[in-house]
Amino acid sequence: MERLWSLLQRTQRLSPRPSQTIYKRVEGTQQWRLEEEEEDGEEGAEPPAHFCPMELRGPDLGSRPRRQNLGFWAAAGRRAAPYLVLTTLLIFTGAFLLGYVAFRGSCQACGDDVLVVSEDLNYEPVPDSHQGTLYWSDLQAMFLQLLREGSLEDTIRLTSFRERVSGSAGMAALAQDIRAALSSQKLDHVWTDTHYVGLQFPDPARPNTLRWADTAGRPGEQLPLEDPDVYCPYSATGNATGELVYAHYGRREDLQDLRARGLEPAGRLLLVRLGVISFAQKVASAQDFGARGVLIYPDPADFSQDPHKLSLSSHRAVYGHFPPVQSSGLPGIPAQPISADIASLLLRKLKGPVAPQEWQGHLPGSSYHLGPGPGLHLVVNNHRVSTPISNIFGCIEGRSEPDHYVVIGAQRDAWGPGAAQSAVGTGILLELVRTFSSMVSNGFRPRRSLLFISWDGGDFGSVGSMEWLEGYLSVLHLKAVVYVSLDNAVLGDDKFHAKTSPLLISLIENILKQVDSPNRSGQTLYEQVVVNNHSWDAEVIRPLPMDSSAYSFTAFAGVPAVEFSFTEDGQAYPFLHTKDDTYENLHKVLRGRLPAVAQAVAQLAGQLLIRLSHDHLLPLDFARYGDVVLRHIGCLNEFSGDLKARGLTLQWVYSARGDYIRAAEKLRKEIYSSEESDERLMRMYNVRIMRVEFYFLSQYVSPADSPFRHIFLGRGDHTLGALLDHVRLLRSGSSADPGAPSPRVAPGLGFQESRFRRQLALLTWTLQGAANALSGDVWNIDNNF
């Protein structure tokens, strides 16, 4: 065998070889480097022969002549050569197939665990690194170890002590400190975007007032606003006079209930409770029903009744804001927060029927009559000031898809101390920047870019992030993969909620199984949430609310988003958006568990970032929207008989939904049968997957008129919710829902066939477009619609 190997080497030396590949081991590392050596024959040299005389030496038998020995071995070599070649080929083929099958089997068995395998041939570890390929378990262990080395609690505490009102000198100093902190880390880019925006503040010279009014509407005695600095940014300014009516939470169904009981909201002031829906939705609904103004108060029934727990003082009012753009839902009537003490005084003056049992609150001495009551005169004098706000960015550039961003952000500003409102999110953001920077120093390089953002203007309708979204609206869906919000992340420690796009639900489930519960030793977060409800998503998943900073990313820009929150069991954190949202109160509410809960949020967000930035294939569940459509269609099916009686049908929506389901299944099969190592193919799949959310933005309405164009999450006549509200009028026989956000339909017109056909067309075209886009190239679309 040694002679055969020597013969092969000699043959290679004599054969022409314009280039050859040599692997050399480099001292000091565990990497093998590939070097190309070019060897050109000397000009004019005689080319080497392909064959040369050879002598095969065998054992010297002594008794046989030399020629006989040579003939014997030559004949043996000729007979053995085909078998030797065949055997070598079979061994190589068998080993290759065995290795391939073993690898594919491990991929199917490990599932998500091998999606993050790095196959970057240009990967270069840092000098002290002894790692080669980084697997998910390696990255997870590295992240958790480096995260524990930080000082998250100190960062939260120190941030909460600083003045952070947008436009203030304290905010300017904090912005400089945060930019310096980012610049000190191993980030590829750090920069600041400054915008001058119109922010609304109270006018010190003309404070907002609330007075009693006589039957003629003339203002009388003034009622004390115990928290005079509390206001609603972007409330309409001016005067509002009218009788007072109690309207529960101010939802559309609450106002419809009032109207059904003979109490017309139009022309009156409404007293509504804090909670359930946003300030903006309460005031917008009141305006749609013709109310002249809104007073919003915190009812003790909406907070913990445990005497051993902290509760909001009865003389505290709660700050709230609206979207800063008229087309985003900016109300046209005045609104003012008031304290529970003032609300109790007003309720005691109300006459009329007693409110339903479910409307009853816990204000002392109040019987909760619906009204009407005595007249009130509300004056709102807030004024706009051109104010500079600064968003601060830090970026770790991706190695394979640097033009695709995984974005994580936190509000930096706060109207008051803002410990839960923004100090926790800012602290977690800075710790994640430090941790991922340390991971880069230890050899980690994400496939996609990580973009860390500290937002300004969050307490003014998330105006900072909205400015950024508007500035990059035309390209953001091509760049941003996911947005992760750290706002309002720690409001308790009993319950965990994820307000999110359906695309992220499966990934969140996977990550929850790998994060330890902060208050139940030996359990993961997933095990904690399924204790009382085996349907984990029913326990955890919530739609993105309009007052979430992540809402605009999905409903306006078409980027899937998520916002995590730990909350108290059944009760809201009492100090959010008040002057009592201090570090001390948050620490007491959590009974000293603030560091553990904040650490759990950081672990959850960080592992989510690793998966989204490092997996070869984006872990977004594009098939989930088929279930979302089915759930909404289930509600519409109830009215199919009523529509059929009018010669109408929902078949268009059914067909479009079927096409989307088939397109999602087809893409899933394509991905399953493809090679993960094919970088070009993976990028093509990722581009299709990351744009799914954008496909559900209606292209048939103007962003200027309807900025929230998402057909499932947005607001406007193009949405599935608006279609459902309209179809319900077939059963009620009443006038058109004034709460439906359609300026084209006047109240009192009832069900309109022309409006229904237009709504159905807008919805179906968008859903069909999403199905077509998911199918890929036009020659791959096989639906017949």
Side-chain angles (χ1 to χ4, degrees), residues 163-181:
E163 180 193 10
R164 306 194 306 287
V165 178
S166 293
S168 67
M171 171 56 89
L174 179 61
Q176 291 179 356
D177 291 345
I178 288 184
R179 171 157 184 165

Side-chain angles (χ1 to χ4, degrees), residues 311-448:
S311 60
L312 185 66
S313 169
S314 61
H315 64 267
R316 284 292 190 207
V318 178
Y319 175 97
H321 58 74
F322 306 109
V325 181
Q326 180 68 46
S327 58
S328 299
L330 188 64
I333 60 176
Q336 175 66 32
I338 62 174
S339 67
D341 282 345
I342 298 301
S344 179
L345 176 62
L346 296 175
L347 277 170
R348 287 197 294 268
K349 298 287 187 179
L350 293 183
K351 306 299 182 183
V354 176
Q357 182 60 41
E358 60 272 18
W359 288 30
Q360 295 290 320
H362 289 166
L363 286 174
S366 302
S367 54
Y368 287 86
H369 287 265
L370 295 177
L376 289 173
H377 181 73
L378 173 65
V379 178
V380 174
N381 291 320
N382 305 334
H383 67 297
R384 288 203 182 201
V385 178
S386 180
T387 307
I389 61 171
S390 298
N391 299 325
I392 305 169
F393 300 80
C395 176
I396 297 175
E397 199 168 319
R399 57 178 169 79
S400 300
E401 301 176 42
D403 56 331
H404 292 162
Y405 320 141
V406 179
V407 188
I408 183 166
Q411 174 183 331
R412 184 175 72 253
D413 66 298
W415 169 79
Q421 173 70 10
S422 62
V424 169
T426 297
I428 295 174
L429 180 70
L430 293 176
E431 283 302 303
L432 288 174
V433 169
R434 181 196 59 78
T435 301
F436 277 94
S437 175
S438 298
M439 291 176 67
V440 169
S441 298
N442 281 271
F444 169 65
R445 197 72 188 183
R447 296 178 59 82
R448 301 170 197 93

Side-chain angles (χ1 to χ4, degrees), residues 200-216:
Q200 197 181 63
F201 295 96
D203 187 345
R206 297 187 306 153
N208 299 341
T209 60
L210 181 65
R211 297 174 179 272
W212 297 112
D214 61 21
T215 54

Side-chain angles (χ1 to χ4, degrees), residues 37 40 458 506 673 780:
E37 294 187 358
D40 299 322
S506 296
S673 60
N780 289 328

